[in-house]
Amino acid sequence: FKQKTAYEIYQCDWSSDVCSSDLASMMLYANKVYNMEDEIQFYCIYDPNIPIAHVGESISTGVVDVLERCIDFSFDQLSEFDGTVRSHTRYFWNDVNGKEFDVLYTKPGVHANSEKFSLFILKELQKKYTNIFEIQDEVLSLHQTSYDVTLKCKNEEYKFDYVLDCRGMPTAEELNSDAYAEPEFQGVNSVVIYPEFVSYEEKFTSTHVHENGWMFGVPIAHRKAWGYLYNNNYIDVDTAVEKLGEIKDIVDKKIIKLSWKQHYKVNAMDGRVLAIGNKLYFFEPHQAIPLHYYVNIASLFITELIEPVSSNISRYMNGYHTNQIAMIKDLIALNYVADTNMKSVYWKNTQAEAEAYLKNSKTFVDFAKVSIKSNIIQPYWSHGINMMRNYIEGYNIDLKKFIP
């Protein structure tokens, strides 16, 4: 079994650390779990000239768990990427439902400097493993046959058995094709990010509600990233900047402005190419779900490649993806059905749309039924009982309204 497996890794325009985190996940399962360091070769191909967005990143406990097992990551290494400990998320909802509540994790996650995190992981991987190779090149095109995948790059052409395509957001042409779909419910699709160069002694990601959506706060060692999230169907970017300025005293005008089209790939895997990162899906950054899912599907891919349970890896991966995306959509909608006294047009419409969406989700309706019948909030997707209880009780959500 000689498998030379390539992973095309790019600094993504939102979650740049997805690239190296997925690679770490692959290395874990191939090398430590299956002891195949001499049989699989991993190639990390990226263009160093693509800039990484200056965004603080919240990283889930699941991703940290992979790094601990794969590269022996220790919290003593936080300074390598301006990291801080992330023990929970704190929701500042006093103004809208009288509560400030925490969503607690079973073990710590981290906050990271997106600009440094990928390079840190890649460096640690190369220290530990002999079957990982780094190629700095610009990928121009990708072509596959039933036998291999060819990457035509600026400097050279490469052939591999499999490729993880992590080139960031899909092109407009791709998004308008039948390869992609939009989620039925969409809360936010734009953000204004302000880096405040103040050191916060916080071990949590902060989440604040506002009249046009919500705002995250991600503290890393020397700054905190504030992200004013909104839907550009309700307000424009200039208004968003103005509203953020009313919340935070913006002294440095170097703010980041991003908008995106919410999307997911209908089939995660096409032949020998598996989409990862924003190429796979992106709805919004709530709960650090995107990176968590990217690592999950990458881990499953290498497991299925080496120890298959299906004769058709693409079909198996795509079935998994369909199921996972459905539950992720539910969890995103859950954040918008909270009991609030918000009178804005945005919240009035968004709450109604999210509630209607969840009432039509069989999986969520079943979750509500079992939770009510057992009098115990059930786990959902990667969220355990305690996390789901924190959300349901913190948001003052009455699960009975979702049962026909």
Side-chain angles (χ1 to χ4, degrees):
F1 182 82
K2 293 289 185 181
Q3 190 80 41
K4 293 183 179 179
T5 306
Y7 299 99
E8 180 187 350
I9 307 300
Y10 263 74
Q11 288 95 338
C12 304
D13 40 18
W14 181 266
S15 298
S16 60
D17 55 319
V18 62
C19 315
S20 50
S21 297
D22 285 334
L23 189 58
S25 181
M26 299 291 175
M27 299 297 289
L28 167 67
Y29 284 88
N31 293 335
K32 283 200 168 183
V33 177
Y34 296 102
N35 193 29
M36 304 189 78
E37 188 165 348
D38 295 329
E39 300 185 32
I40 296 183
Q41 294 179 346
F42 297 82
Y43 290 80
C44 177
I45 304 176
Y46 68 97
D47 183 355
N49 296 316
I50 295 178
I52 301 175
H54 299 227
V55 182
E57 188 80 27
S58 293
I59 295 169
S60 73
T61 60
V63 175
V64 172
D65 182 62
V66 167
L67 298 180
E68 287 176 336
R69 290 183 289 152
C70 180
I71 59 173
D72 300 321
F73 169 73
S74 165
F75 282 84
D76 293 336
Q77 297 174 292
L78 287 176
S79 61
E80 296 278 345
F81 49 85
D82 302 335
T84 59
V85 175
R86 179 182 185 243
S87 64
H88 60 286
T89 297
R90 178 160 294 174
Y91 286 75
F92 294 89
W93 279 58
N94 284 304
D95 294 340
V96 293
N97 71 359
K99 284 190 176 182
E100 177 182 299
F101 64 95
D102 292 337
V103 174
L104 305 174
Y105 311 132
T106 55
K107 60 179 288 187
V110 300
H111 301 112
N113 181 338
S114 304
E115 300 168 90
K116 296 183 178 181
F117 194 54
S118 286
L119 296 178
F120 162 74
I121 295 176
L122 184 57
K123 179 187 69 175
E124 293 299 308
L125 286 170
Q126 290 175 314
K127 281 183 185 177
K128 194 170 181 66
Y129 303 104
T130 61
N131 60 334
I132 178 169
F133 305 93
E134 177 183 357
I135 298 174
Q136 294 188 7
D137 205 344
E138 178 185 358
V139 177
L140 303 177
S141 65
L142 180 156
H143 176 73
Q144 66 171 308
T145 68
S146 57
Y147 303 102
D148 56 28
V149 186
T150 300
L151 297 182
K152 183 178 180 182
C153 298
K154 185 175 181 179
N155 299 324
E156 198 170 333
E157 189 171 281
Y158 309 90
K159 283 187 182 292
F160 302 109
D161 292 297
Y162 291 91
V163 166
L164 264 71
D165 185 0
C166 188
R167 290 177 290 172
M169 286 290 183
T171 64
E173 182 180 3
E174 288 174 318
L175 287 173
N176 292 326
S177 72
D178 58 6
Y180 284 88
E182 295 182 52
E184 297 86 341
F185 166 77
Q186 299 188 30
V188 296
N189 62 11
S190 302
V191 65
V192 175
I193 301 172
Y194 169 58
E196 182 184 18
F197 287 90
V198 174
S199 180
Y200 282 74
E201 295 298 324
E202 298 174 342
K203 292 185 177 180
F204 56 81
T205 304
S206 55
T207 300
H208 308 255
V209 65
H210 59 74
E211 61 184 331
N212 298 304
W214 58 279
M215 180 173 71
F216 66 73
V218 179
I220 58 176
H222 308 298
R223 70 172 191 261
K224 185 169 182 177
W226 296 98
Y228 187 96
L229 288 137
Y230 63 99
N231 191 309
N232 60 19
N233 292 308
Y234 289 88
I235 61 171
D236 60 25
V237 64
D238 292 333
T239 303
V241 172
E242 180 182 335
K243 292 294 184 181
L244 175 59
E246 294 173 3
I247 299 172
K248 299 300 301 178
D249 182 18
I250 300 177
V251 295
D252 185 344
K253 300 301 181 181
K254 293 180 180 179
I255 57 178
I256 300 170
K257 305 170 186 177
L258 296 172
S259 287
W260 60 88
K261 183 176 181 180
Q262 290 204 17
H263 63 276
Y264 64 96
K265 211 161 186 294
V266 176
N267 291 317
M269 191 165 186
D270 175 19
R272 292 177 169 269
V273 179
L274 176 66
I276 287 291
N278 294 342
K279 206 75 169 178
L280 177 64
Y281 104 95
F282 189 75
F283 299 153
E284 59 173 76
H286 218 124
Q287 305 168 16
I289 287 178
L291 178 58
H292 186 88
Y293 177 50
Y294 303 152
V295 170
N296 281 357
I297 198 170
S299 302
L300 180 65
F301 167 73
I302 196 68
T303 302
E304 179 64 13
L305 189 66
I306 296 170
E307 202 170 69
V309 299
S310 170
S311 59
N312 188 316
I313 187 171
S314 292
R315 184 168 57 216
Y316 183 82
M317 296 299 299
N318 290 335
Y320 172 82
H321 175 65
T322 298
N323 176 267
Q324 298 293 293
I325 285 293
M327 289 190 285
I328 291 173
K329 288 192 287 188
D330 289 349
L331 287 176
I332 294 298
L334 181 67
N335 294 286
Y336 295 91
V337 296
D339 176 27
T340 79
N341 58 15
M342 277 290 187
K343 306 300 183 184
S344 64
V345 174
Y346 168 83
W347 274 103
K348 181 180 178 181
N349 292 345
T350 303
Q351 283 177 306
E353 291 165 4
E355 186 172 321
Y357 175 79
L358 288 176
K359 285 180 176 178
N360 285 310
S361 167
K362 182 181 183 304
T363 309
F364 190 81
V365 171
D366 289 344
F367 157 81
K369 287 179 179 178
V370 175
S371 296
I372 291 171
K373 185 176 181 179
S374 64
N375 201 31
I376 299 174
I377 301 298
Q378 298 298 299
Y380 205 80
W381 193 57
S382 64
H383 294 0
I385 291 175
N386 290 335
M387 283 187 68
M388 289 303 293
R389 185 177 69 248
N390 292 157
Y391 282 119
I392 300 299
E393 294 179 354
Y395 282 140
N396 291 336
I397 295 174
D398 181 5
L399 289 177
K400 294 178 181 177
K401 67 182 179 181
F402 298 101
I403 300 177

